[in-house]
């Protein structure tokens, strides 16, 4: 079964802390997405990557294709970063258009 | 264009009733996806359209579910004879045509269905 595992499930941090959320998957992928979901449901795409590293503001996403692992880092965390962060992959092969999601990591950043 | 829109945002219905949700994708996007998300879980794929053609339908989509995209623009998802287990957030996403691995999906705000 193709699975996407995220850790931790829940994460509480103090403002200013460095945050890391991990994602691992089981088979070859064509792309990995990091998404942010706020209460109420709306999902925003943060990164899409197939190799290496991407940076946007205080957010950094890395992927290691050989180890089938990705990390999302947040530097200098802020209460407004509180949200659910979801890892999703697009598998290689026939159905490479749909996303398979992890369960998400609930991040709470306290002031 | 301001993004993917979904209507309604919330729907409360009694068990056994039929419901229909609408998704309007970003105008130049020819690919459209429906996902379902239950509490505490990540979204799960339901179905995919390229233009008006429904190219894949998940086994999660029982015979009570039907989706259409008649003119390759907006899409509807209908659930007949709703059950309490259908209570979930129904998410729509769209993406432009292109190489399979190179495009992002843009999500709508979702429709939250509660079946009582």
């Amino acid at each position: 079964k193709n699975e996407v595992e995220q850790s931790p499930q829940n994460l509480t941090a103090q403002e200013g802390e460095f945050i890391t959320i991990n994602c691992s998957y089981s088979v070859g992928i064509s792309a990995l997405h990091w998404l942010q979901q706020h209460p109420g449901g709306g999902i925003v795409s943060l990164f899409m990557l197939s190799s290496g590293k991407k940076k946007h503001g205080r957010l950094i996403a890395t992927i290691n294709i050989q180890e089938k692992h990705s990390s999302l880092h947040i530097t200098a965390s802020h209460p407004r970063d509180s949200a659910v962060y979801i890892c999703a992959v697009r598998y290689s092969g026939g159905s490479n258009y749909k996303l398979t999601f992890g369960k998400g990591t609930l991040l709470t950043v306290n002031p | 264009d301001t993004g993917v829109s979904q209507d309604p945002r919330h729907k409360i219905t009694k068990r056994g009733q039929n419901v229909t949700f609408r998704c309007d994708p970003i105008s130049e996007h020819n690919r459209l996806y429906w996902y379902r998300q239950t509490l505490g879980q990540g979204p799960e794929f339901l179905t995919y359209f390229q233009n008006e053609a429904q190219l894949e339908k998940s086994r999660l989509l029982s015979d009570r579910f039907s989706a259409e995209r008649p003119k390759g623009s907006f899409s509807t998802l209908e659930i007949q004879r709703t059950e309490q287990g259908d209570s979930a957030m129904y998410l729509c996403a769209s993406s432009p045509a292109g190489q399979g691995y190179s495009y992002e999906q843009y999500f709508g705000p979702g429709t939250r269905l509660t079946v009582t």
Side-chain angles (χ1 to χ4, degrees), chain B residues 46-82:
Chain B
L46 292 180
T47 191
Y48 160 67
F49 289 86
Q50 184 167 325
N51 299 311
E52 65 276 9
Q54 187 175 21
L55 297 186
E56 186 172 345
K57 190 174 170 180
S58 165
R59 283 173 292 179
L60 291 175
L61 232 55
S62 74
D63 291 343
R64 297 183 297 105
F65 288 71
S66 62
E68 294 183 341
R69 194 182 183 198
K71 297 181 180 178
S73 57
F74 72 92
S75 175
T76 58
L77 178 67
E78 181 183 15
I79 309 174
Q80 295 183 328
R81 304 181 303 282
T82 52

Side-chain angles (χ1 to χ4, degrees), chain A residues 30-31 33 37 40-43 45 48 90 95-99 101-103, chain B residues 33 35 37 41-43 45 48 56 89 91 100-105 107 109:
Chain A
S30 57
H33 298 244
Q37 186 172 34
I43 291 179
S45 178
M48 181 179 67
R90 193 178 307 122
S95 297
N96 66 348
Y97 41 77
K98 65 183 178 184
L99 296 176
F101 296 80
K103 291 185 178 181
Chain B
Y33 316 79
Y35 296 94
Q37 185 178 27
Q41 304 294 315
F45 171 79
Y48 160 67
E56 186 172 345
M89 175 75 81
L91 293 160
Y101 61 84
S102 64
Y103 52 83
E104 289 190 48
Q105 293 185 21
F107 286 83

